């Protein structure tokens, strides 16, 4: 990803980021938003290099939890697979249900009832 910011200082980042990070970066740098990022996004500012224990990504019919060396893909029909970061199945791997519940609870604050 390359972002052009007039007057910005060129920089290269090598930490984990995801598409959720674009909104906090644009809201803060372009629009001058002062709210805590957690008020409106699961992302972080692109300059935030602090460690992440996971990143959640998804589409209309499935989502995945990315962790260092592990991808847990959960499909719309309820089945799932757990692979390493090269998409090789991890034999005997199971879903950490507490972590999955925590992630789902964190993401649902942005949805209306």
């Amino acid at each position: 990803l390359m972002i052009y910011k007039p007057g910005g200082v060129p920089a290269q980042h090598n930490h984990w980021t995801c598409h959720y990070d674009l909104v906090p970066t644009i809201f803060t740098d372009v629009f001058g938003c002062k709210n805590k990022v957690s008020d409106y996004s699961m992302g972080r500012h692109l300059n935030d290099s602090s460690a992440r224990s996971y990143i959640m990504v998804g589409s209309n019919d499935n989502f995945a939890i990315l962790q260092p060396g592990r991808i847990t893909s959960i499909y719309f029909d309820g089945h799932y697979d757990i692979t390493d970061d090269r998409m090789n199945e991890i034999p005997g791997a199971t879903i950490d249900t507490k972590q999955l519940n925590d992630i789902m609870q964190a993401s649902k604050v942005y949805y209306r009832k």
Side-chain angles (χ1 to χ4, degrees), residues 22-41:
L22 293 175
V23 170
T25 303
I26 293 168
F27 274 27
T28 301
D29 292 357
V30 176
F31 299 118
C33 182
K34 302 294 182 202
N35 289 51
K36 295 182 303 182
V37 171
S38 62
D39 286 348
Y40 58 87
S41 177

Side-chain angles (χ1 to χ4, degrees), residues 28-99:
T28 301
D29 292 357
V30 176
F31 299 118
C33 182
K34 302 294 182 202
N35 289 51
K36 295 182 303 182
V37 171
S38 62
D39 286 348
Y40 58 87
S41 177
M42 289 179 60
R44 299 180 181 180
H45 193 284
L46 284 170
N47 291 337
D48 183 348
S49 62
S50 60
R52 296 180 190 222
S53 59
Y54 72 88
I55 293 177
M56 188 170 83
V57 297
S59 69
N60 290 337
D61 55 352
N62 62 53
F63 69 96
I65 300 165
L66 310 178
Q67 298 169 286
R70 178 180 167 120
I71 302 169
T72 303
S73 301
I74 302 173
Y75 302 95
F76 72 94
D77 63 359
H79 82 276
Y80 67 92
D81 55 52
I82 301 173
T83 62
D84 64 18
D85 53 8
R86 298 212 178 253
M87 301 303 289
N88 299 307
E89 183 179 345
I90 300 174
T94 59
I95 289 181
D96 179 340
T97 55
K98 177 172 180 349
Q99 181 187 51

Side-chain angles (χ1 to χ4, degrees), residues 90-109:
I90 300 174
T94 59
I95 289 181
D96 179 340
T97 55
K98 177 172 180 349
Q99 181 187 51
L100 178 60
N101 186 54
D102 291 347
I103 291 168
M104 299 312 293
Q105 292 299 319
S107 68
K108 85 175 194 176
V109 302

